[in-house]
Amino acid sequence: MPFPLFPASAQAVDAATVQLNLDFVWIVVAAILVLFMQAGFTLVETGLTRSKNAVNIIMKNVMDCAAGALVFFAVGFGLMFGTSSGWFGTDGFFLSGIEGQDQMWTYAFWLFQAVFAATAATIVSGAVAERTKFTGYLLFSIVITGLIYPVFGAWAWGGLFNGSGWLEGLGFIDFAGSTVVHSVGGWAALAGVLVIGPRAGKYGPDGKPRHLAGHSLPLAALGVFILWMGWFGFNAGSTTAGSSEIALIAMNTFLSASAGAVVAMAVTWLRSGKPDAGMTLNGVLGGLVGITAGCANLTPGFAILTGAIAGALVVYASLGLERFVDDPVGAIAVHGVCGAWGTLAAGLFDAGGFSLATVGVQALGVVAAFLWVFPLAYGLFTLIDRIVGLRVEAHPEVLGLDLHEHAAQAYPEFVAGGDGYGVPDDEFIPAEV
Amino acid sequence: MPFPLFPASAQAVDAATVQLNLDFVWIVVAAILVLFMQAGFTLVETGLTRSKNAVNIIMKNVMDCAAGALVFFAVGFGLMFGTSSGWFGTDGFFLSGIEGQDQMWTYAFWLFQAVFAATAATIVSGAVAERTKFTGYLLFSIVITGLIYPVFGAWAWGGLFNGSGWLEGLGFIDFAGSTVVHSVGGWAALAGVLVIGPRAGKYGPDGKPRHLAGHSLPLAALGVFILWMGWFGFNAGSTTAGSSEIALIAMNTFLSASAGAVVAMAVTWLRSGKPDAGMTLNGVLGGLVGITAGCANLTPGFAILTGAIAGALVVYASLGLERFVDDPVGAIAVHGVCGAWGTLAAGLFDAGGFSLATVGVQALGVVAAFLWVFPLAYGLFTLIDRIVGLRVEAHPEVLGLDLHEHAAQAYPEFVAGGDGYGVPDDEFIPAEV
Amino acid sequence: MPFPLFPASAQAVDAATVQLNLDFVWIVVAAILVLFMQAGFTLVETGLTRSKNAVNIIMKNVMDCAAGALVFFAVGFGLMFGTSSGWFGTDGFFLSGIEGQDQMWTYAFWLFQAVFAATAATIVSGAVAERTKFTGYLLFSIVITGLIYPVFGAWAWGGLFNGSGWLEGLGFIDFAGSTVVHSVGGWAALAGVLVIGPRAGKYGPDGKPRHLAGHSLPLAALGVFILWMGWFGFNAGSTTAGSSEIALIAMNTFLSASAGAVVAMAVTWLRSGKPDAGMTLNGVLGGLVGITAGCANLTPGFAILTGAIAGALVVYASLGLERFVDDPVGAIAVHGVCGAWGTLAAGLFDAGGFSLATVGVQALGVVAAFLWVFPLAYGLFTLIDRIVGLRVEAHPEVLGLDLHEHAAQAYPEFVAGGDGYGVPDDEFIPAEV
């Protein structure tokens, strides 16, 4: 770009236009932060699983974002925000034809929403890690981004012109998506792990779960810090306007995450005698998920309380769920359970005053999300399993998805079988593992 | 800083001043994002090469940025944006003496441009990795940042007061630098690899290329996500103004990258039966490079098409080039080839309507970049080779540049020869490798 | 959030309100960048130490941020910015009761300051790494965030209504905290390493220091890049306003860091014959710490000079200190020494003209910080040592803090004793090391 002359002299703008420009800057900056959360999810999922499946997780997350963006451009955005009678939108596909909206504003809002949709998809990725076929996962990712997420979104956030989404119309509070994004992802993840089943070796002969450690806690921790940063865009960006309100939202986001981390650490410390790092990191995420619904309508004290309870929930829900389902990264506890809790908390602690009706609507939203997402995702995973197959065979699973699905290794120099000089050929792959 | 009183009451500002302040905020935020791209390049290059050369790559990237900033402050910015008769600027060195410009605005614009210049340099780093002497590389990095990049930049973007750069004057469209930054870096990389030659072991006795795998795909993937994020600053920041236009640019950037990733994955899947992760990641980058020229004058549909073609180009250009030159990270395909393609696409798909003249000017710009950069870089690499030596000896190359050039190891605990207790002394270095 | 209608038509705002909204956006964006610096510190400290202590470092950094936020919310902010007679604030605890301030503005400023407080704490983490009990560290972290840092902060930045902090009243220049944040952290780190003593194996039988190499230079380098990026928020955000001044500050920040890197590299190259990567990375940080005080009142040339001297100081101070104290990451040299230097440089090179009185006040501030922090931190570390114990036993230290303090390993697959299938139980821990 050419060096522009000092622009002040050339400008004859009014304050409303400048405010609008500020809104564009803020929404784009926030969208960039949310996009970067994909890197955070990738690292958390990669770090908390074994190195033999790292390439596969990277591919899944890149595609959640890349294929997701194209699908949400073509279909999802219209279903979610097009003209609606309360259930789903019927125009706006390919970003065309939403009447009454400025084109640039639609573009900015699409960008912000597209990265949200990718987030819902990527939550599932971690839960089904280490045993799912790439093709099957990709199909699911496309459907959640293009259909499952947008339709629920239309209930809670859509319906621009003809009234509003039916949940929205009841007064449902979910400012940035504890339910719309996180519980939707979490319940889809629950369906996925039920259909796919646990990883080989997860449960001992006695049926008790064993801890299959991830391969890099530093990568996982970096991922959590990236998510922590990105969540400010997620929550404060949901104002879609550069306004003073973002201060309250950002502060609440910070405090809730902090309380989640401290409480999750304390709970593990009291339970086992040592502060557990993985749970503490998931405590940060639980606190973030928990405050997402109520970040704009809770006082700081209740933000801390919401995060603290989320931090405890993460630990107990992870341990409880582990007895029944194998979720390598704790996605169901973090996103599903804490998302539901955060949605209730947004009603319980509403700074506008307690109202049983409000809490009831919040509970209704939580239930509606489960009832819409879980059966549909369960059916879809089952269908994919029947048609293209969802789970890799036993041998490739033990060998690692990276070699089988992508003919690659994440760290050829560092792990057994790697020679540091390229993709192993067939001789490297042991016939029996 | 002291806690400032709530500023509203103290302010008596007009809208034009506020817009200007917004422009400052936006350009600084965008510059920060572009600076962070250096981390992305570092990780991509480090991850896609072997661990024995990781310290060297880190040093090169830090210096591209650090030495580059000082050189661009002293010389480059003046050559690129100083008063010019169309070929190069003649004032503004050390940021002094650009008349008619506000000083603070010059500072902001310098900051944004300095991180662009560092990008052009760092593209070369990956291509010549694993066999280049640090001293020789450092000399080249200084010259590209201080001379090669700024002079071409003056043709396309410079010439503030006395007319404009000659390419600019013809109507050349390169909004954020598909050619100015990326092809310039790519063609310099091509010159570098031709002069330096391939890495030991790259070509078998039959002359066929072998795949020398990098040591950490997770680091490479994180690097790509960082670049993806930073690119929003690169493209949308090139407005140098906080305006609604950034919505279109950011959306196009996202869509093109997504299409590049999907198509690169699909091509490798069809070719080899498995979706390839390295190519998919380079598909993201190819899509980003491709949309850089036309991000502000293409509709979303053509942004997708531009990225899709870039994704295919990355795969085929990488495979084609690999038969002749050894570019460990695919920099020439990603930045050189996709940069040229993106520049043509900005003319072919111009939302203002197709015009053969426009396409011709775009092609002229592509050719001009090659003719300016390639011979000059080739000569410069050859000169450096004669004077200080460009390539390390065979033994240190096999041993790794880190020990030889920096007396260090990236991972002393994890690799052969590391003892986990410090820099290996001479006894650790095997006489024969 | 529902898709908002194009907001322009609904807006009737005046320019002062828009400027205020811009200030909110800028301070929140800057705070996000500073928060992300915690990831940078985590990676620098993790990368420059051994993998057996990586989980411990991650836990310390997460808690610096998480527990720090809660403590700074409850106590620290009030002590630092509450109504004060020059020494410490007496209201504003739990963010309540600061009269005359807009609530949202207080929230925004708290957010920005909270991440600063966490930075001061985390500086200590690296210096005392690899031998400190988690409980002892956590106690110290809470006290520095809640008491040591805020009280000095009140002297230099606090005192909103009743006059000002006593140092501030004398004209002390420390724009973004070379002394307030970095030296405070650095002198606390010095106290810590003196009380705790060196790591096992740091000094040979002859009393000479040995280099205990870190385990991942790529992680450390990524950390430095993250800090480099975040520092733009740290320095330019300290305007607390979206204004043209941020251009000067950001440019100075970039130039000083660059000069620090180049000079640190040059010094090691001249001393040992090879450019040293660890020192070059710390040169970046030294340049950043050095410019933090004077980023807003130095010209670019003096910013370069300040950074260049900081780069040399980092090398010589690290080497000099290493003979007496064991600081695994060089935190005392980077933050303590360069913080003091930067504070002096802000007086020496003041663009407003040289004045001996100004330099005297700067020196007074440097001395005051040392006299407040060092004895207090020394006493506190001693007290913690007496009550809960500060240092782990010899056996767990050699084994690594991760197993002993957190029952975890950072890389179970890659290091000796890891089996890739979970947290080692007692059988894995050798009785003798």
Side-chain angles (χ1 to χ4, degrees):
Chain A
M1 73 261 58
F3 187 9
L5 269 168
F6 186 56
S9 55
Q11 291 172 337
V13 289
D14 57 34
T17 302
V18 182
Q19 176 65 48
L20 186 65
N21 287 343
L22 175 61
D23 296 344
F24 273 103
V25 165
W26 174 239
I27 202 171
V28 168
V29 168
I32 295 169
L33 288 168
V34 180
L35 172 76
F36 196 45
M37 288 172 67
Q38 295 291 325
F41 281 111
T42 304
L43 293 176
V44 167
E45 296 173 21
T46 306
L48 295 181
T49 55
R50 289 161 295 180
S51 67
K52 62 186 176 184
N53 300 308
V55 175
N56 179 254
I57 287 174
I58 290 165
M59 284 296 285
K60 292 197 299 181
N61 277 276
V62 170
M63 279 303 130
D64 287 334
C65 195
L70 300 177
V71 171
F72 198 73
F73 173 76
V75 181
F77 186 80
L79 277 180
M80 188 156 168
F81 293 106
T83 309
S84 159
S85 58
W87 295 89
F88 56 88
T90 53
D91 59 4
F93 304 110
F94 298 93
L95 292 198
S96 64
I98 295 189
E99 62 172 77
Q101 279 286 359
D102 178 76
Q103 190 72 359
M104 285 292 171
W105 187 247
T106 300
Y107 289 171
F109 192 70
W110 173 84
L111 181 72
F112 191 65
Q113 286 299 328
V115 287
F116 269 58
T119 299
T122 214
I123 289 167
V124 181
S125 163
V128 302
E130 307 206 279
R131 73 274 205 198
T132 307
K133 276 190 185 174
F134 182 65
T135 312
Y137 177 79
L138 190 56
L139 287 173
F140 182 81
S141 175
I142 288 170
V143 177
I144 192 173
T145 318
L147 176 71
I148 300 176
Y149 167 77
V151 168
F152 186 80
W155 300 357
W157 290 346
L160 177 59
F161 296 104
N162 303 302
S164 59
W166 69 267
L167 261 172
E168 200 176 2
L170 297 173
F172 183 57
I173 304 168
D174 190 5
F175 190 74
S178 282
T179 287
V180 176
V181 179
H182 294 281
S183 282
V184 163
W187 304 144
L190 178 62
V193 299
L194 284 171
V195 174
I196 298 171
R199 291 167 292 171
K202 175 65 190 174
Y203 295 95
D206 57 357
K208 288 203 177 146
R210 302 194 306 182
H211 183 61
L212 304 181
H215 84 281
S216 175
L217 203 72
L219 288 188
L222 175 58
V224 168
F225 275 116
I226 290 174
L227 289 168
W228 202 338
M229 174 174 74
W231 227 288
F232 288 96
F234 202 93
N235 283 359
S238 291
T239 57
T240 69
S243 67
S244 61
E245 191 186 13
I246 63 176
L248 171 68
I249 297 170
M251 180 184 60
N252 278 347
T253 301
F254 190 25
L255 288 171
S256 181
S258 299
V262 169
V263 170
M265 179 187 75
V267 169
T268 62
W269 208 335
L270 292 170
R271 277 179 53 92
S272 73
K274 293 186 194 296
D276 184 81
M279 285 291 186
T280 304
L281 293 173
N282 266 351
V284 173
L285 301 184
L288 290 166
V289 170
I291 198 61
T292 296
C295 55
N297 73 314
L298 264 56
T299 58
F302 280 112
I304 292 173
L305 182 60
T306 300
I309 292 173
L313 275 177
V314 162
V315 178
Y316 289 109
S318 295
L319 294 173
L321 283 162
E322 195 182 23
R323 294 162 59 193
F324 307 103
V325 294
D326 180 17
D327 174 0
V329 303
I332 303 165
V334 167
H335 298 279
V337 175
C338 290
W341 157 243
T343 306
L344 294 175
L348 287 169
F349 306 145
D350 186 1
F354 179 84
S355 140
L356 207 58
T358 301
V359 177
V361 171
Q362 296 301 103
L364 178 63
V366 168
V367 172
F370 187 86
L371 292 180
W372 164 249
V373 174
F374 182 80
L376 188 54
Y378 196 95
L380 180 63
F381 274 117
T382 306
L383 190 71
I384 293 171
D385 193 27
R386 298 269 165 84
I387 296 175
V388 301
L390 197 54
R391 180 160 186 152
V392 297
E393 302 290 318
H395 177 240
E397 181 181 340
V398 176
L399 188 67
L401 299 182
D402 293 356
L403 284 173
H404 182 260
E405 298 278 297
H406 308 286
Q409 286 182 303
Y411 309 96
E413 296 182 24
F414 296 165
V415 293
D419 67 346
Y421 288 97
V423 175
D425 54 24
D426 289 339
E427 287 95 296
F428 284 118
I429 302 178
E432 304 294 327
V433 182
Chain B
M1 74 259 59
F3 186 10
L5 270 168
F6 186 56
S9 56
Q11 291 173 337
V13 289
D14 57 33
T17 302
V18 182
Q19 176 65 49
L20 186 65
N21 287 342
L22 176 61
D23 296 345
F24 273 102
V25 166
W26 174 240
I27 201 170
V28 168
V29 168
I32 295 169
L33 288 168
V34 180
L35 173 76
F36 196 46
M37 289 173 67
Q38 294 290 325
F41 281 112
T42 303
L43 293 176
V44 168
E45 296 172 22
T46 305
L48 295 181
T49 55
R50 289 161 294 180
S51 68
K52 61 186 178 183
N53 300 309
V55 176
N56 179 255
I57 287 175
I58 289 165
M59 284 296 285
K60 291 197 298 182
N61 276 276
V62 170
M63 279 303 130
D64 288 333
C65 193
L70 300 177
V71 171
F72 198 75
F73 173 76
V75 182
F77 186 80
L79 277 180
M80 188 156 169
F81 292 106
T83 309
S84 159
S85 58
W87 295 89
F88 56 88
T90 54
D91 58 4
F93 304 110
F94 297 93
L95 292 198
S96 64
I98 295 189
E99 62 172 77
Q101 279 287 356
D102 177 77
Q103 190 72 0
M104 284 294 170
W105 187 246
T106 301
Y107 289 171
F109 191 69
W110 174 85
L111 181 73
F112 191 65
Q113 286 298 329
V115 288
F116 270 58
T119 300
T122 215
I123 290 166
V124 181
S125 164
V128 302
E130 305 206 282
R131 73 271 205 201
T132 307
K133 277 191 182 172
F134 182 66
T135 312
Y137 177 80
L138 191 55
L139 287 174
F140 182 82
S141 174
I142 289 170
V143 177
I144 192 172
T145 318
L147 178 71
I148 300 175
Y149 167 76
V151 168
F152 187 81
W155 301 357
W157 291 347
L160 176 59
F161 296 104
N162 303 302
S164 62
W166 69 266
L167 261 172
E168 200 176 1
L170 297 173
F172 182 58
I173 303 169
D174 190 5
F175 189 73
S178 281
T179 287
V180 176
V181 178
H182 294 281
S183 282
V184 163
W187 305 144
L190 178 62
V193 299
L194 284 171
V195 174
I196 298 171
R199 290 167 293 171
K202 176 64 191 177
Y203 295 95
D206 57 356
K208 289 205 177 144
R210 301 195 305 182
H211 183 61
L212 305 180
H215 83 280
S216 176
L217 203 73
L219 288 188
L222 175 58
V224 168
F225 275 116
I226 290 175
L227 289 168
W228 201 339
M229 173 174 75
W231 226 288
F232 287 97
F234 203 93
N235 284 0
S238 291
T239 55
T240 71
S243 68
S244 62
E245 191 186 15
I246 64 176
L248 171 68
I249 297 170
M251 179 185 59
N252 278 346
T253 301
F254 190 25
L255 288 171
S256 180
S258 299
V262 169
V263 170
M265 180 187 75
V267 170
T268 63
W269 208 336
L270 292 170
R271 277 179 52 92
S272 74
K274 291 187 196 293
D276 183 81
M279 284 293 186
T280 303
L281 293 173
N282 267 351
V284 173
L285 300 185
L288 289 166
V289 170
I291 198 60
T292 297
C295 54
N297 73 316
L298 263 56
T299 58
F302 280 113
I304 292 173
L305 182 60
T306 300
I309 293 172
L313 275 176
V314 162
V315 177
Y316 289 108
S318 295
L319 294 173
L321 283 163
E322 194 182 22
R323 294 162 59 193
F324 307 104
V325 295
D326 179 18
D327 174 0
V329 302
I332 303 165
V334 167
H335 299 278
V337 175
C338 290
W341 157 243
T343 307
L344 295 175
L348 287 168
F349 306 144
D350 186 3
F354 180 82
S355 138
L356 207 58
T358 301
V359 177
V361 171
Q362 296 301 102
L364 178 64
V366 168
V367 172
F370 187 85
L371 292 179
W372 164 249
V373 174
F374 181 78
L376 188 54
Y378 195 94
L380 180 62
F381 274 118
T382 306
L383 190 71
I384 292 172
D385 192 27
R386 298 270 163 83
I387 296 176
V388 301
L390 196 54
R391 182 161 187 151
V392 296
E393 303 289 317
H395 176 239
E397 182 181 341
V398 175
L399 188 64
L401 298 183
D402 293 356
L403 285 172
H404 183 260
E405 298 278 297
H406 308 286
Q409 287 183 304
Y411 309 96
E413 296 182 25
F414 295 163
V415 293
D419 67 347
Y421 288 97
V423 175
D425 54 24
D426 289 341
E427 288 96 296
F428 284 118
I429 303 177
E432 305 294 328
V433 183
Chain C
M1 74 258 62
F3 186 9
L5 270 169
F6 186 54
S9 55
Q11 291 173 338
V13 290
D14 57 35
T17 301
V18 182
Q19 175 65 47
L20 186 65
N21 288 342
L22 176 61
D23 296 345
F24 274 102
V25 166
W26 174 239
I27 202 171
V28 168
V29 168
I32 295 168
L33 289 168
V34 180
L35 173 77
F36 196 46
M37 289 173 67
Q38 294 291 325
F41 281 111
T42 303
L43 293 175
V44 167
E45 296 172 22
T46 305
L48 295 181
T49 55
R50 288 161 295 180
S51 68
K52 61 186 176 183
N53 301 308
V55 175
N56 179 254
I57 287 175
I58 289 164
M59 284 296 286
K60 292 198 298 182
N61 277 275
V62 170
M63 280 301 132
D64 288 334
C65 195
L70 300 177
V71 171
F72 198 74
F73 172 76
V75 182
F77 186 79
L79 278 180
M80 188 157 169
F81 293 106
T83 309
S84 159
S85 57
W87 295 90
F88 56 87
T90 54
D91 59 4
F93 305 109
F94 297 94
L95 292 198
S96 63
I98 296 188
E99 62 172 78
Q101 280 286 359
D102 177 77
Q103 190 71 1
M104 285 293 171
W105 187 247
T106 300
Y107 289 171
F109 192 69
W110 175 84
L111 181 72
F112 191 64
Q113 286 298 328
V115 288
F116 270 59
T119 301
T122 214
I123 290 166
V124 181
S125 163
V128 302
E130 304 205 282
R131 73 272 205 199
T132 306
K133 277 190 182 171
F134 182 65
T135 312
Y137 177 80
L138 191 56
L139 288 173
F140 183 81
S141 174
I142 288 170
V143 178
I144 193 173
T145 318
L147 178 71
I148 299 175
Y149 167 77
V151 169
F152 188 80
W155 301 357
W157 290 347
L160 177 60
F161 295 104
N162 303 301
S164 61
W166 68 266
L167 261 172
E168 199 176 3
L170 297 173
F172 182 58
I173 305 168
D174 190 5
F175 189 74
S178 282
T179 286
V180 175
V181 179
H182 294 281
S183 282
V184 163
W187 304 144
L190 178 62
V193 299
L194 284 171
V195 173
I196 298 170
R199 291 168 291 172
K202 176 64 190 177
Y203 295 95
D206 57 356
K208 290 204 176 143
R210 302 195 305 183
H211 183 62
L212 304 181
H215 83 281
S216 176
L217 204 72
L219 288 188
L222 174 58
V224 168
F225 275 117
I226 289 174
L227 289 168
W228 201 339
M229 173 174 74
W231 227 287
F232 287 97
F234 203 93
N235 284 359
S238 291
T239 55
T240 69
S243 68
S244 62
E245 191 186 13
I246 64 176
L248 171 68
I249 297 170
M251 180 185 58
N252 279 346
T253 300
F254 190 25
L255 288 171
S256 180
S258 299
V262 169
V263 170
M265 180 187 74
V267 169
T268 62
W269 208 335
L270 291 170
R271 277 179 53 92
S272 74
K274 293 186 194 296
D276 184 81
M279 284 291 186
T280 302
L281 293 173
N282 267 350
V284 173
L285 301 184
L288 290 166
V289 170
I291 198 61
T292 296
C295 55
N297 73 315
L298 264 57
T299 58
F302 280 113
I304 292 173
L305 183 59
T306 300
I309 293 174
L313 275 176
V314 162
V315 178
Y316 288 110
S318 295
L319 295 173
L321 283 163
E322 194 183 21
R323 294 163 57 194
F324 307 104
V325 294
D326 179 17
D327 174 0
V329 302
I332 303 165
V334 167
H335 299 278
V337 175
C338 291
W341 157 243
T343 307
L344 295 175
L348 286 168
F349 306 145
D350 186 3
F354 179 82
S355 139
L356 207 57
T358 300
V359 177
V361 170
Q362 296 301 102
L364 178 64
V366 168
V367 171
F370 187 86
L371 291 180
W372 165 249
V373 174
F374 182 79
L376 189 54
Y378 195 95
L380 180 63
F381 274 117
T382 306
L383 190 71
I384 293 171
D385 193 25
R386 298 269 164 85
I387 296 175
V388 301
L390 196 54
R391 182 161 185 150
V392 297
E393 303 289 318
H395 177 240
E397 181 181 341
V398 176
L399 188 66
L401 299 182
D402 293 356
L403 285 173
H404 182 259
E405 299 278 297
H406 307 286
Q409 286 183 305
Y411 309 96
E413 296 182 22
F414 295 165
V415 293
D419 67 346
Y421 287 97
V423 175
D425 55 22
D426 289 340
E427 288 95 296
F428 284 118
I429 302 178
E432 303 295 326
V433 184

